[in-house]
């Protein structure tokens, strides 16, 4: 019985300490997109500033699928990195796809402008503490 009690207490303490260092997900509207953002509570690894990972979903997939199953939390906590997972603007093109077809792209069209606005907005928001040299 003592052994079972020790196991239960150990399990509880593990969950407590894991959750004590866990960050949180939030949903924000940035650059004309709904963006799932994970902000860790752990310290950044380089230069005292955080890296920003922008992860795009695939065709026919929602950004919430990557939020829930993309396995970003452990990596973000390990490196003190912010993860942003935008949904394709206006539901995307061709079954929710990002607009990367054809050759007439510029910085101000075809979803490029949305993604640049996302990165710029997050870099400019001091609450995220993003290093502009660590945007991926």
């Amino acid at each position: 019985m003592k052994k079972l009690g020790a196991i239960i207490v150990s399990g509880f303490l593990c969950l407590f300490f894991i959750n004590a260092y866990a960050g949180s997900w939030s949903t924000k509207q940035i650059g004309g997109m709904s963006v799932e953002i994970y902000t860790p509570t752990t310290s950044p690894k380089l230069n005292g500033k955080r890296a920003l990972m922008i992860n795009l979903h695939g065709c026919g997939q929602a950004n919430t699928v990557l939020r829930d199953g993309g396995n970003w939390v452990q990596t973000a906590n390990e490196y003190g990195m912010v993860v942003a997972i935008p949904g394709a603007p206006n539901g995307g093109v061709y079954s929710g796809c990002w607009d990367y077809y054809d050759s007439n792209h510029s910085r101000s069209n075809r979803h490029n402008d949305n993604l640049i606005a996302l990165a710029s907005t997050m870099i400019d928001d001091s609450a995220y503490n993003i290093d502009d040299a660590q945007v991926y």
Side-chain angles (χ1 to χ4, degrees), residues 6-16:
I7 291 171
I8 291 171
V9 169
S10 295
F12 175 77
L13 289 174
C14 285
L15 287 174
F16 174 77

Side-chain angles (χ1 to χ4, degrees), residues 9-85:
V9 169
S10 295
F12 175 77
L13 289 174
C14 285
L15 287 174
F16 174 77
F17 285 114
I18 287 170
N19 288 331
Y21 292 105
S24 61
W25 285 101
S26 62
T27 304
K28 296 195 176 180
Q29 295 296 316
I30 303 174
M33 303 173 290
S34 176
V35 184
E36 299 296 325
I37 301 171
Y38 184 79
T39 307
T41 57
T42 54
S43 297
K45 291 288 184 184
L46 295 174
N47 306 325
K49 296 194 91 176
R50 298 190 182 284
L52 170 62
M53 172 61 71
I54 299 174
N55 186 183
L56 305 184
H57 62 77
C59 291
Q61 188 179 44
N63 60 342
T64 53
V65 172
L66 287 175
R67 176 199 64 204
D68 297 339
N71 201 28
W72 278 116
V73 171
Q74 182 178 349
T75 303
N77 287 336
E78 182 177 346
Y79 293 98
M81 170 179 70
V82 173
V83 176
I85 308 173

Side-chain angles (χ1 to χ4, degrees), residues 81-122:
M81 170 179 70
V82 173
V83 176
I85 308 173
N90 302 315
V93 294
Y94 304 121
S95 301
C97 298
W98 290 92
D99 190 354
Y100 288 122
Y101 63 94
D102 269 335
S103 59
N104 61 341
H105 286 266
S106 72
R107 292 178 58 86
S108 61
N109 74 356
R110 314 288 298 273
H111 294 167
N112 299 318
D113 52 346
N114 303 91
L115 295 171
I116 290 169
L118 170 60
S120 297
T121 299
M122 293 193 70

